[in-house]
Amino acid sequence: MSLESCSSVAGADCDVVVFINDTIRSLGSEFSSIEKALTKFEEVNPKFFESCEIIPFLEHRCQRLIYSSTGALHGDVADSRNISDAAFKALKKAHHIGCRKPLLVLGGIASGPKDAAWMQKEFPLLNAIIGALHALYNPLELREAFPEKSTKFDCLSVFGASEKILKVAYAIEEGRRVARDIAGSDPERMSAPRIVEYLKDEFSSSAEVVLETQEVDACAYPLMAAVNRAASGIKRHNGKVVHMSYTGSSTVDTTLFLIGKGITFDTGGVDVKAGGVMAGMHRDKSGAAAIAGFFKTLSLLKPKGLCVHGALSLVRNSIGSNGYVADEIITSRAGRRVRVGNTDAEGRMVMTDLLCEAKEQALNAVNPFLFTFATLTGHVIRAYKCYTAVMENGPARKRNVASALQMAGDQVSDIAEISTIRREDYEVVKGHTEYEDLLQCNNLPSSATPRGHQFPAAFMIVASGLDEHGLGCDKKQLPYTHLDIASSAGLIDTPSTGAPLMMFTSMYVLPRL
């Protein structure tokens, strides 16, 4: 991937100029040729700014200009995506007409609110670059099948970009590439063993990231092992656990523990996904994929004072004679007796023991924060459509983790909504009989269950033993935040987004550069 800065529109060596702005007038002297081309075209098509248009640009040697409007940015609903979406549409158009050397130019966006976090410093330009690169991602399977077409562009030039902003954009996009490669590839190309191979290759030259892999140990991870049972007899589908770690230079002041759901394919298990809803379940590994991508970004930006531990649960939820079933009682790593209610609620099962392990490590860590990333529920799509849901325990709420993440995501087009874990969520997962401590799930789809994306977080808190580290507890308080990305990770017919990688980069990495 080639990214470079350009200081002159007129002298740019490009095959198309892409202009992103909220208006076509009063652009200033440096964009006078662009304004002339746009206003002249307006005489032919007064409504051209309502769509992404290719416009004759006779004063430039490339002869063509693509204008993509952000729309007015001073209204109630405008956010950073107005900029990134406009760039995405424009670069999709540029690729469609065969351009390989686009010049990205961001106008002054005069209507942008000066007090908005996403309008500060170089965030507007970063969002434009992020949107452009998202459009130019080429899927791994196509790169492998057609090596001669491994990229969709030769070079993306960015007008007025600083070296720092290009470095940040490059690192974010490399992280998203890793996340998209894993999340978007089919269940065989990215089965658990092949994800391990991919990660070893991707991080082979990175001294900053340490990667360790192991089999799914039923003693260490009993809930995960139950989900893995049906696939464990098939070598190419057998589950893996991947631990990753990064430690920045200088004294560590913050430690992050990231646990990712990496279900390589979800059949629903014995509670099979019937009625055509199984299609697209190769994306159920998006949580683990985002964490792997975040480590790629960390390896390139090398933030100081930050220690990050990642744990990826790479398991296939298959159907088979050895599969786990409803009514089984399994004791978690934390010693909690869990009755299975629905084998299609496997995500919380594969993360809970890793969360417990992270809890054990966090007790001796510097300023620890625990997180789970997962495409966990259909309910969150009903509730928030395309936004990440963020919810937290008491210690995290006291530290304003969710609100800080939401603001950080706003800066980089990685938008989140905040949900609250309440007492009703804990009531849902209480055991119904003296046999069990916890009920893993009811037997309805989450989308048909009240508070369907919140109560799974309550389950993981109790089943991992984190309930003993909340507010008012005698033991050390540990902030824990769960992110349900089922709504934001990207559906089967759209590019995988890498969410919440950009949000975490904005919050934990950029302030350290």
Side-chain angles (χ1 to χ4, degrees):
M1 179 174 65
S2 178
L3 268 178
E4 63 181 37
S5 182
C6 176
S7 59
S8 168
V9 174
D13 179 20
C14 62
D15 53 13
V16 64
V17 175
V18 173
F19 185 59
I20 312 297
N21 203 26
D22 56 349
T23 181
I24 64 171
R25 289 184 167 78
S26 303
L27 302 183
S29 58
E30 63 183 352
F31 300 144
S32 59
S33 60
I34 292 177
E35 182 172 349
K36 182 178 178 181
L38 293 175
T39 53
K40 188 171 182 63
F41 191 74
E42 186 183 30
E43 296 173 3
V44 178
N45 181 2
K47 299 289 187 179
F48 80 94
F49 51 84
E50 294 180 356
S51 59
C52 189
E53 292 284 351
I54 304 169
I55 298 163
F57 194 13
L58 302 182
E59 292 192 19
H60 197 280
R61 57 183 171 179
C62 74
Q63 298 286 294
R64 50 193 172 187
L65 170 68
I66 295 177
Y67 175 65
S68 187
S69 175
T70 63
L73 299 177
H74 51 62
D76 286 355
V77 297
D79 58 45
S80 53
R81 293 171 303 160
N82 286 55
I83 299 172
S84 60
D85 287 353
F88 176 83
K89 292 174 186 175
L91 269 295
K92 287 283 283 187
K93 177 80 74 172
H95 171 66
H96 181 69
I97 63 174
C99 298
R100 295 193 61 87
K101 296 175 66 178
L103 169 64
L104 178 64
V105 181
L106 180 66
I109 45 178
S111 66
K114 304 306 179 187
D115 59 343
W118 49 273
M119 280 296 297
Q120 307 306 310
K121 301 178 182 178
E122 293 185 284
F123 279 111
L125 185 55
L126 178 59
N127 279 290
I129 302 172
I130 285 172
L133 291 174
H134 190 44
L136 296 174
Y137 168 72
N138 200 26
L140 172 67
E141 287 157 304
L142 293 183
R143 301 199 307 267
E144 292 177 338
F146 308 104
E148 72 281 5
K149 299 178 182 178
S150 61
T151 65
K152 289 184 177 178
F153 68 108
D154 298 325
C155 178
L156 175 63
S157 299
V158 184
F159 177 79
S162 66
E163 182 179 344
K164 178 181 178 180
I165 206 69
L166 289 181
K167 180 180 179 181
V168 168
Y170 176 84
I172 289 175
E173 181 57 23
E174 279 293 277
R176 288 200 298 176
R177 174 185 59 79
V178 169
R180 294 193 203 98
D181 283 355
I182 296 172
S185 294
D186 79 55
E188 292 296 330
R189 176 59 189 90
M190 282 297 172
S191 61
R194 296 194 72 185
I195 292 175
V196 169
E197 292 173 3
Y198 174 90
L199 291 174
K200 286 181 177 179
D201 182 63
E202 190 65 44
F203 291 98
S204 61
S205 59
S206 175
E208 295 80 15
V209 174
V210 177
L211 188 148
E212 298 177 354
T213 65
Q214 64 185 90
E215 303 297 318
V216 179
D217 184 343
C219 294
Y221 312 115
L223 299 182
M224 188 194 310
V227 179
N228 186 53
R229 273 185 355 216
S232 62
I234 302 172
K235 186 176 180 180
R236 74 179 195 278
H237 291 165
N238 191 19
K240 304 289 182 183
V241 177
V242 176
H243 287 93
M244 308 178 76
S245 61
Y246 164 88
T247 303
S249 60
S250 76
T251 303
V252 170
D253 58 64
T254 300
T255 308
L256 308 181
F257 293 89
L258 312 179
I259 293 89
K261 175 186 174 183
I263 297 297
T264 59
F265 191 75
D266 184 14
T267 67
V270 175
D271 287 301
V272 64
K273 289 181 181 290
V277 298
M278 200 184 298
M281 285 298 108
H282 71 285
R283 294 284 182 95
D284 218 10
K285 53 192 180 316
S286 296
I291 292 173
F294 184 56
F295 273 90
K296 183 66 176 182
T297 299
L298 289 170
S299 72
L300 295 170
L301 293 179
K302 302 176 177 59
K304 297 179 180 180
L306 184 66
C307 180
V308 185
H309 299 282
L312 316 182
S313 55
L314 306 178
V315 176
R316 180 177 172 121
N317 190 20
S318 289
I319 305 169
S321 58
N322 196 31
Y324 83 123
V325 297
D327 292 351
E328 283 190 43
I329 297 175
I330 305 165
T331 302
S332 73
R333 180 186 178 105
R336 307 296 169 86
R337 290 172 59 80
V338 174
R339 183 184 291 275
V340 177
N342 189 333
T343 64
D344 197 19
E346 83 296 332
R348 66 206 72 175
M349 297 281 283
V350 302
M351 291 191 295
T352 293
D353 292 323
L354 289 175
L355 182 59
C356 179
E357 181 179 54
K359 173 202 69 179
E360 296 161 5
Q361 297 167 349
L363 293 174
N364 298 311
V366 176
N367 192 23
F369 294 85
L370 290 80
F371 300 90
T372 45
F373 294 8
T375 48
L376 205 61
T377 67
H379 185 275
V380 77
I381 302 173
R382 286 282 184 95
Y384 294 144
K385 189 176 181 179
C386 58
Y387 303 127
T388 295
V390 184
M391 59 210 84
E392 57 198 348
N393 71 352
R397 187 169 62 251
K398 198 171 182 179
R399 303 282 292 273
N400 297 313
V401 175
S403 58
L405 279 171
Q406 185 182 52
M407 182 175 292
D410 285 348
Q411 291 180 312
V412 290
S413 301
D414 199 354
I415 312 297
E417 299 285 9
I418 298 174
S419 292
T420 306
I421 306 170
R422 299 196 181 276
R423 63 187 183 189
E424 288 83 359
D425 302 312
Y426 290 94
E427 289 292 331
V428 170
V429 299
K430 278 185 178 179
H432 292 181
T433 73
E434 60 185 312
Y435 288 88
E436 73 276 350
D437 301 314
L438 290 163
L439 179 64
Q440 167 238 27
C441 190
N442 60 7
N443 52 17
L444 291 173
S446 67
S447 56
T449 302
R451 304 185 64 79
H453 71 271
Q454 287 116 310
F455 81 82
F459 169 82
M460 290 188 287
I461 289 171
V462 180
S464 67
L466 266 175
D467 58 327
E468 297 179 353
H469 298 273
L471 298 178
C473 294
D474 295 333
K475 297 181 180 179
K476 180 179 179 179
Q477 294 181 9
L478 295 174
Y480 163 63
T481 306
H482 169 58
L483 294 93
D484 192 336
I485 60 170
S487 44
S488 58
L491 301 177
I492 187 172
D493 57 347
T494 62
S496 179
T497 65
L501 181 157
M502 295 186 295
M503 180 192 302
F504 272 69
T505 301
S506 176
M507 179 157 169
Y508 290 108
V509 179
L510 299 190
R512 298 172 180 271
L513 301 182

